[in-house]
Amino acid sequence: MTTLMARWIDKFSQFDQRSFRWLNLRLERWCRHQLVRWISRSGDGYVYALIALIMAIYLEADSVIPITALIIGFAIEVPLFSLIKRILKRQRPYQKNPQFSSVILAHDQFSFPSGHTTAAFLFAGVMSSFFPTWSWLLYIWASAIGASRVLLGVHYPGDILAGAVLGYVISGYAISLAV
């Protein structure tokens, strides 16, 4: 069984690396575009905190449950994705392939799963639950954050997919604890 699993992981990794190279070659002119950097930065933690603050100011008591769900979610998400990264130790594209030059360097060493994408899908999942009319925009934004991380050269597509699934699952769990 372990041999089968090891082969599957190796095949997945090869597919992921080929997908990464294909995307970066086809979308090369976008990789260095300032908009891609801005989208990636919009997935930094301060944006979520700012939105929660705005909600608290304008929605007052109605913001307590969504903000509680976000706090619970991020309290789970940050240590969990960090632990997964330290266990799996997947090298980033620019570490694995020294001739590849990424647009930015990541803040941490390992790539799987994408922390930016995990956080973005956690946020989108929680906020969509409480503000369903905004769901389409929240998930487009979360997806754009994930895509930007591939275009900037710090993640493989599989890192993004794993982060999206992890963030979405954590959002459901956080909502169930907050309600």
Side-chain angles (χ1 to χ4, degrees):
M1 186 66 168
T2 35
T3 308
L4 181 64
M5 183 64 125
R7 278 196 305 229
W8 184 87
I9 290 171
D10 186 51
K11 292 281 184 200
F12 172 77
S13 183
Q14 289 174 16
F15 175 78
D16 219 15
Q17 290 173 37
R18 282 193 308 273
S19 299
F20 174 83
R21 284 191 298 273
W22 186 88
L23 284 167
N24 273 272
L25 283 172
R26 300 302 179 285
L27 302 172
E28 186 176 7
R29 71 183 184 103
W30 282 100
C31 292
R32 302 201 184 278
H33 198 281
Q34 195 61 33
L35 176 63
V36 174
R37 289 179 191 220
W38 181 85
I39 291 169
S40 178
R41 284 191 196 119
S42 77
D44 292 346
Y46 66 87
V47 174
Y48 307 124
L50 180 62
I51 292 171
L53 178 63
I54 292 167
M55 276 181 15
I57 291 168
Y58 289 104
L59 298 179
E60 297 173 351
D62 290 338
S63 70
V64 172
I65 295 175
I67 291 174
T68 301
L70 288 171
I71 291 169
I72 291 168
F74 285 117
I76 295 167
E77 180 256 348
V78 173
L80 183 58
F81 91 79
S82 297
L83 177 66
I84 294 169
K85 282 185 176 203
R86 283 193 303 263
I87 290 170
L88 297 179
K89 297 181 177 173
R90 184 179 196 189
Q91 290 182 312
R92 293 188 179 275
Y94 58 84
Q95 295 165 322
K96 180 90 174 160
N97 188 0
Q99 60 267 32
F100 173 76
S101 178
S102 65
V103 178
I104 63 169
L105 296 178
H107 298 293
D108 60 2
Q109 186 177 3
F110 303 116
S111 74
F112 186 92
S114 165
H116 274 75
T117 308
T118 304
F121 275 85
L122 163 61
F123 184 82
V126 168
M127 296 301 282
S128 291
S129 177
F130 296 101
F131 307 100
T133 56
W134 292 92
S135 291
W136 66 274
L137 183 61
L138 291 162
Y139 282 110
I140 288 173
W141 178 41
S143 299
I145 289 170
S148 75
R149 305 299 287 169
V150 174
L151 291 174
L152 292 172
V154 292
H155 283 290
Y156 295 104
D159 302 340
I160 304 311
L161 180 61
V165 170
L166 184 60
Y168 183 77
V169 169
I170 293 170
S171 75
Y173 185 63
I175 292 165
S176 71
L177 293 176
V179 176

